[in-house]
Amino acid sequence: MSAFNSTDRYIRRMKRPASLVCGVAAMMADKFNWSCLWTRVVWAAVVLLNPAIGLLIYFVLALVLPKWEANT
């Protein structure tokens, strides 16, 4: 049962829009009206499959997305 509790707690944390690292996934989910959980899962997969490019894109978006938010 404890594995189920930890999995449930992990999924609840991933669904919350609060920032985990620099908030890119949460900002993207909010801007495009996507699921925060699945946006974070896709970002995790991208970073795990190609860490250099994935992290580069992630941090570029961390700089660009707040500017998009200010313009809307």
Side-chain angles (χ1 to χ4, degrees):
M1 270 317 231
S2 85
F4 180 72
N5 275 343
S6 64
T7 303
D8 187 42
R9 192 175 38 191
Y10 174 75
I11 289 175
R12 278 195 315 243
R13 173 143 169 82
M14 293 292 279
K15 285 182 179 180
R16 276 187 281 163
S19 170
L20 290 179
V21 177
C22 62
V24 172
M27 283 189 285
M28 283 182 68
D30 185 51
K31 173 132 181 92
F32 299 110
N33 201 21
W34 295 339
S35 164
C36 196
L37 170 67
W38 289 110
T39 305
R40 285 180 172 150
V41 168
V42 168
W43 268 113
V46 167
V47 170
L48 288 174
L49 292 174
N50 193 344
I53 299 298
L55 288 173
L56 177 67
I57 293 169
Y58 192 85
F59 288 116
V60 166
L61 286 174
L63 297 172
V64 171
L65 280 176
K67 293 178 183 173
W68 284 352
E69 292 292 320
N71 290 336
T72 56

